Amino acid sequence: MREIEVRLESFPTKGEFRIARGAVRAVDLVTVTIGEDGHTGCGECRPYARYGETPELVRERILAVAVRVCDGLDRLALMGVLPPGAARNAIDCALWDLEAKRTGRAVHELAGLSRPASLLTAFTLSLAAPDAMAKAAAAASDYPLLKLKLGAAGDELRLRAVRAARPDARLIVDANEGWELARLEAMFDAAAAAAVELIEQPLPAGQDEALAAVTRLVPVCADESAHASDGLAALVGRYDAVNIKLDKTGGLTEALVMARSARALGLKLMAGCMVATSLAMAPALLIGGLADWVDLDGPLLLAADREGGLVYEGAWVQPAPATLWGGSLARAP
């Protein structure tokens, strides 16, 4: 018989973390632990207000299906019980981890994936004044790939300032739905002038059709507009890539389906994350191994990570330790 535990946790960020929608100084997380036959599987999610989620609501959604999980609900059946989102993600990842521990096979083996390798991750710069972002970019000299949080007045100045401070860096921009259609072409021009290689979600979700009618000087990646595989077809011709986040897909199970479906449609992939701990990053690393861009720096934005978390060597994140998530404790993954 399985047992399930749900915990609410809060982790302070390393200073204020700001995006176009607001700022936080701590992130509230929900952790699920499922035990069976002396083995334990864990999963973590970050409830996100943009999608109508709160930690308390996510906890309620998990507890509402707890009896079915304890009765043996598997990952595939779970997809028909809960919609994509944070609650399903935490349970799904805990079930993957539990299966790895029970079978003695690492998750990458169970999923039919190659052995994980170290990955180059982007490092995110919080939205700030142009000079502050330039200073942060210069200080992040160990990170060759920077992700700039934009989406406010003065973004052209931010782009110029960061590029001047880090002429060597590869740049990704995340507007978090913050650009206006009337200025979209001007922002594409500014991004191209700064040699930006990807722009995430420039317009609010729901205005995607406008992207098909403009010349995209820089490839565009869907984030808030891309949640699960069933919505991908509508993005073709509007976006060039999709950001796969497990808190949106509802777990690794759907994320793997989404990655395959996106490739089949000719879309490139970013493996992304919410700001969260290494427990949330570990399953996302498997998507990172399939992606064109990896943005799994969540723990680097926290004041402190979980004990026994991922190892970051500069911009390179190492495969998850077996004791953290997804590995067989009988033998190394």
Side-chain angles (χ1 to χ4, degrees):
M1 181 69 177
R2 288 177 180 168
E3 297 179 347
I4 187 169
E5 179 185 1
V6 186
R7 299 190 306 277
L8 304 186
E9 301 180 87
S10 184
F11 284 77
T13 56
K14 192 180 295 182
E16 182 180 75
F17 183 77
R18 178 175 292 277
I19 66 172
R21 280 188 289 272
V24 297
R25 289 190 173 274
V27 293
D28 297 318
L29 309 174
V30 181
T31 305
V32 168
T33 302
I34 302 174
E36 184 176 10
D37 298 333
H39 301 280
T40 300
C42 298
E44 175 187 300
C45 67
R46 163 92 185 277
Y48 204 49
R50 168 65 179 80
Y51 305 132
E53 298 174 335
T54 66
E56 294 74 20
L57 179 59
V58 167
R59 181 176 183 272
E60 289 176 8
R61 288 174 177 169
I62 294 170
L63 291 176
V65 300
V67 171
R68 298 181 68 173
V69 173
C70 290
D71 285 343
L73 187 75
D74 64 20
R75 292 180 287 100
L76 295 179
L78 176 66
M79 294 173 71
V81 172
L82 284 176
R88 195 175 81 186
N89 178 32
I91 299 174
D92 179 80
C93 290
L95 289 174
W96 276 106
D97 190 31
L98 178 63
E99 186 175 353
K101 301 300 189 294
R102 292 186 72 244
T103 63
R105 300 176 63 203
V107 169
H108 76 270
E109 297 179 67
L110 296 172
L113 300 174
S114 301
R115 182 183 297 274
S118 60
L119 298 172
L120 175 70
T121 181
F123 181 72
T124 304
L125 302 185
S126 179
L127 178 64
D131 58 343
M133 293 190 74
K135 184 177 180 180
S141 58
D142 288 341
Y143 298 92
L145 177 61
L146 298 178
K147 177 173 175 175
L148 315 184
K149 287 292 188 178
L150 300 182
D155 279 348
E156 297 99 319
L157 298 177
R158 294 182 179 92
L159 283 166
R160 286 199 293 269
V162 170
R163 176 48 77 200
R166 285 292 306 278
D168 61 306
R170 298 167 56 201
L171 300 182
I172 295 171
V173 161
D174 185 0
N176 282 117
E177 305 179 281
W179 289 353
E180 297 178 355
L181 180 58
R183 299 210 68 247
L184 187 59
E185 291 191 6
M187 291 311 307
F188 270 108
D189 288 341
V196 170
E197 63 185 56
L198 190 71
I199 298 172
E200 284 187 69
Q201 200 69 41
L203 298 175
Q207 294 185 18
D208 297 330
E209 68 279 358
L211 293 170
V214 300
T215 300
R216 298 194 294 273
L217 298 176
V218 178
V220 180
C221 179
D223 184 358
E224 286 84 353
S225 290
H227 289 255
S229 54
D230 59 2
L232 287 175
L235 304 180
V236 175
R238 301 172 178 182
Y239 289 94
D240 307 288
V242 293
N243 188 340
I244 299 180
K245 296 178 179 176
L246 273 59
D247 276 321
K248 293 189 301 177
T249 65
L252 178 62
T253 303
E254 169 61 20
L256 291 168
V257 174
M258 188 174 181
R260 290 192 294 269
S261 299
R263 287 293 192 199
L265 290 168
L267 295 166
K268 291 189 174 183
L269 304 179
M270 172 184 282
C273 67
M274 307 297 187
V275 180
T277 79
S278 285
L279 182 56
M281 301 304 115
L285 287 176
L286 298 181
I287 300 301
L290 307 174
D292 302 283
W293 297 274
V294 175
D295 177 29
L296 298 176
D297 63 342
L300 299 178
L301 306 175
L302 299 175
D305 192 11
R306 295 185 186 277
E307 185 176 352
L310 296 173
V311 174
Y312 289 83
E313 297 176 349
W316 293 89
V317 55
Q318 304 304 311
T323 51
L324 173 65
W325 183 90
S328 163
L329 295 181
R331 56 188 176 89

